[in-house]
Amino acid sequence: MEQYQRLRGQYPRFIYKGYDIEEDSCELRITYRFEIEGLSSFAPTWRFPKRNGDTAVWAQDGLIRDMVFSLGMVELISYWKIACPPQVMVEAGVLNQDQVSWWKDLYYNGLGEFFYVNQITEADPDTFMDIVSNVQEETSLKSAQVHGELPRDFREQARSHRRKGVLVPIGGGKDSAVTLELLRSAGEPLYGYIINPRGATIHTTRSAGLEEDRIISVRRTLDPGMLELNRQGYLNGHTPFSALVAFSSILAARMYGLDWVALSNESSANESTVQGSTVNHQYSKSFKFEEDFHRYEMRYLPGSAYYFSMLRPLSEFQIARYFAGQKQYHGIFRSCNAGSRTDSWCGRCPKCLFVYLILSPFLSSQEVREIFGKDMLEDGSMKTTLEQLVGIQEEKPFECVGSRAEINTAIVMTIDRMERDGEDLPLLLSYYKGTGLYDRYKEEGDQYSSYYDGENLVPEPWLSLVKEQCVSGPVTA
């Protein structure tokens, strides 16, 4: 892309200059200092609330400072992508070559969608960025020790943690509600973690019965200069937001004395968004990132909370089936990015259609319509989106949606339910039945009710709980 090369030539250096920590009895405030030389400086902020009665001086805590520096390493990518400078100078802290390799891997894979959508074919994992640390420590450890095997198993690490409480990041959708309900059924002490609270996230904590002192609401503020440059037409696009969740959540867990951070990322997040490629909108929700993050924590942030995804063994299909029984959330959950500002479902985007389809086998047609306020399956303008979701088109929507196969399975089951109940098929389902996919997936049957992904880091006894509550035999007509 011509703009990519032009901007890199015009602005060759990005600097992570440092961070400032301010602290009082109520909160820890972090201000990062980034600069694209010759273009602009940026000062995004984070604000972490303190526990009631907390008298610690967290700015003097070595692990907290390492976490703050690391969070800045994720935050910087949102500003780097404005011009994609070929050199990144890290003046805020020390990185060895092992860490440089780790961060470059995260940036490159986490920016896969950004490169793809902006048609930046020139970017490759070796030359898209050169990270230089002011004090580059050499290490005898080879990068394979971070990206490959470690001295001890992750589950051994889990056993070394005490059960002080579980921090659950809440996004306002069905997945975090399922994690909350599973852990609540086990009697675990739960804490909700929210970045920039909004209606659905607040309502979710209330529906889960969390008291105010168990809700950690963090404020992240973007630098307005970045938003202005985006408006002016500088490079913009998707960044690995869930990596921000990872590094910020363990920082919050440290401040609250919690040993566990339970994410709600499912196995379906591993599937690429563009067929035949590694481009994945959900890269930082994938198991690869989860494993890599563990390795980084163990080697460079020892003493951090154990980070894992409670729903990793499951498919979106199984999560939807469990969620269908959690009626207290049906009126308040929201997954629509377009409607996030108004706490609503827009009813016109790929995420809305996906959630509509994945819930439809397990709820009545009326129940699903009541959630969304309309019958999305009668909307002919959603035909192309349906084709993207089921694999007729190679490219899935760049949204957090389930795998193509499980969406097809859900549609087949919905058609069968409606025909069994004597309902007329809506427009989109009538179209789908004529594509040939119905016959194919009808013959394959329900392979997702009993699905189990063994590549997970869920500790016992929670792993047994997930199997017991969410993994069962196929649903029969």
Side-chain angles (χ1 to χ4, degrees):
M1 181 183 180
E2 182 180 339
Q3 186 184 24
Y4 172 75
Q5 296 288 26
R6 176 175 59 79
L7 289 173
R8 284 167 68 84
Q10 191 172 356
Y11 307 108
R13 198 156 77 141
F14 180 98
I15 309 173
Y16 178 6
K17 299 180 76 70
Y19 55 84
D20 300 312
I21 301 177
E22 299 176 277
E23 187 172 7
D24 57 29
S25 60
C26 297
E27 66 179 9
L28 186 76
R29 295 180 296 278
I30 306 163
T31 302
Y32 290 103
R33 290 180 281 114
F34 305 134
E35 180 183 352
I36 298 177
E37 275 193 337
L39 179 61
S40 183
S41 297
F42 310 97
T45 64
W46 284 75
R47 296 166 61 185
F48 290 82
K50 289 187 172 183
R51 287 180 295 113
N52 290 334
D54 183 1
T55 60
V57 183
W58 291 110
Q60 297 177 4
D61 182 282
L63 180 53
I64 285 286
R65 295 191 70 87
D66 288 344
M67 289 175 170
V68 169
F69 166 67
S70 299
L71 179 59
M73 289 294 297
V74 191
E75 186 71 76
L76 72 80
I77 203 64
S78 294
Y79 299 86
W80 175 87
K81 69 174 170 45
I82 292 169
C84 302
Q87 185 180 76
V88 173
M89 289 290 301
V90 178
E91 297 178 352
V94 176
L95 296 173
N96 61 40
Q97 191 54 49
D98 206 25
Q99 291 169 292
V100 167
S101 298
W102 191 92
W103 285 107
K104 285 185 66 173
D105 183 73
L106 168 61
Y107 295 156
Y108 186 77
N109 286 292
L111 290 170
E113 176 183 336
F114 168 80
F115 292 136
Y116 180 82
V117 170
N118 285 289
Q119 299 180 329
I120 300 172
T121 57
E122 302 94 328
D124 70 73
D126 295 321
T127 63
F128 82 105
M129 176 191 291
D130 181 26
I131 300 176
V132 180
S133 175
N134 268 2
V135 187
Q136 188 98 11
E137 286 187 344
E138 292 300 322
T139 177
S140 60
L141 297 169
K142 295 182 179 179
S143 60
Q145 288 183 284
V146 171
H147 295 286
E149 295 300 319
L150 282 175
R152 58 178 178 148
D153 185 78
F154 290 140
R155 296 192 191 280
E156 180 184 337
Q157 182 199 16
R159 287 192 291 271
S160 71
H161 281 249
R162 301 176 295 282
R163 277 180 158 46
K164 289 182 180 178
V166 188
L167 188 69
V168 180
I170 297 171
K174 61 180 173 29
D175 296 354
S176 53
V178 169
T179 294
L180 286 166
E181 287 305 310
L182 286 170
L183 288 169
R184 191 163 74 150
S185 72
E188 300 295 345
L190 300 178
Y191 290 74
Y193 177 69
I194 304 173
I195 299 175
N196 295 341
R198 59 187 178 90
T201 53
I202 295 168
H203 297 323
T204 297
T205 61
R206 291 172 181 166
S207 294
L210 295 179
E211 301 293 335
E212 286 296 323
D213 62 352
R214 294 288 184 92
I215 303 170
I216 305 172
S217 295
V218 169
R219 301 281 179 173
R220 177 195 180 214
T221 304
L222 299 173
D223 187 288
M226 178 190 72
L227 303 177
E228 176 58 30
L229 290 170
N230 289 343
R231 284 190 287 269
Q232 291 178 21
Y234 283 80
L235 291 168
N236 193 17
H238 181 74
T239 57
F241 179 77
S242 292
L244 280 176
V245 176
F247 280 96
S248 65
S249 65
I250 62 169
L251 197 160
R254 173 72 172 176
M255 292 177 64
Y256 279 69
L258 306 177
D259 278 330
W260 309 87
V261 175
L263 275 293
S264 304
N265 304 324
E266 74 294 330
S267 177
S268 313
N270 295 326
E271 183 178 78
S272 65
T273 305
V274 180
Q275 291 190 51
S277 79
T278 59
V279 176
N280 184 359
H281 173 78
Q282 302 188 79
Y283 172 74
S284 55
K285 289 186 175 182
S286 70
F287 185 64
K288 178 187 181 303
F289 173 75
E290 187 176 332
E291 276 195 307
D292 286 350
F293 183 76
H294 261 286
R295 293 184 174 104
Y296 198 88
E297 268 194 300
M298 290 175 67
R299 192 164 302 285
Y300 300 112
L301 300 170
S304 301
Y306 183 88
Y307 170 98
F308 71 101
S309 177
M310 186 76 173
L311 307 184
R312 182 66 68 193
L314 305 175
S315 68
E316 280 275 17
F317 181 92
Q318 291 162 307
I319 294 166
R321 182 176 63 179
Y322 184 92
F323 181 77
Q326 308 302 318
K327 305 291 186 183
Q328 70 273 29
Y329 295 100
H330 289 188
I332 57 95
F333 86 107
R334 301 287 186 272
S335 301
C336 172
N337 293 321
S340 61
R341 291 187 181 275
T342 56
D343 196 40
S344 62
W345 297 98
C346 77
R348 299 181 300 276
C349 73
K351 189 60 178 283
C352 283
L353 183 59
F354 163 68
V355 179
Y356 200 117
L357 291 170
I358 206 71
L359 287 175
S360 290
F362 313 112
L363 297 172
S364 70
S365 299
Q366 179 63 29
E367 286 175 313
V368 185
R369 284 195 297 268
E370 287 176 355
I371 289 173
F372 291 87
K374 62 181 291 189
D375 188 346
M376 290 191 67
L377 303 183
E378 289 286 9
D379 186 348
S381 69
M382 299 299 293
K383 177 183 171 184
T384 298
T385 303
L386 176 69
E387 292 177 341
Q388 292 173 323
L389 289 170
V390 300
I392 294 174
Q393 299 194 25
E394 288 188 356
E395 205 176 276
K396 277 200 307 186
F398 284 102
E399 293 272 6
C400 296
V401 298
S403 70
R404 300 169 181 86
E406 63 187 325
I407 296 171
N408 278 283
T409 300
I411 293 174
V412 168
M413 291 174 61
T414 301
I415 290 173
D416 290 349
R417 173 183 63 75
M418 295 183 75
E419 290 184 337
R420 187 172 62 247
D421 294 342
E423 298 180 48
D424 292 333
L425 292 183
L427 180 66
L428 292 183
L429 297 192
S430 294
Y431 165 72
Y432 175 87
K433 198 169 182 183
T435 63
L437 288 171
Y438 174 84
D439 295 327
R440 171 186 164 187
Y441 283 94
K442 175 71 172 177
E443 183 177 352
E444 290 184 8
D446 172 17
Q447 300 181 31
Y448 286 98
S449 292
S450 58
Y451 179 85
Y452 174 77
D453 190 336
E455 285 195 321
N456 67 79
L457 303 176
V458 184
E460 291 288 1
W462 298 328
L463 183 58
S464 295
L465 176 69
V466 171
K467 291 179 181 178
E468 176 187 330
Q469 296 291 324
C470 301
V471 181
S472 67
V475 175
T476 57

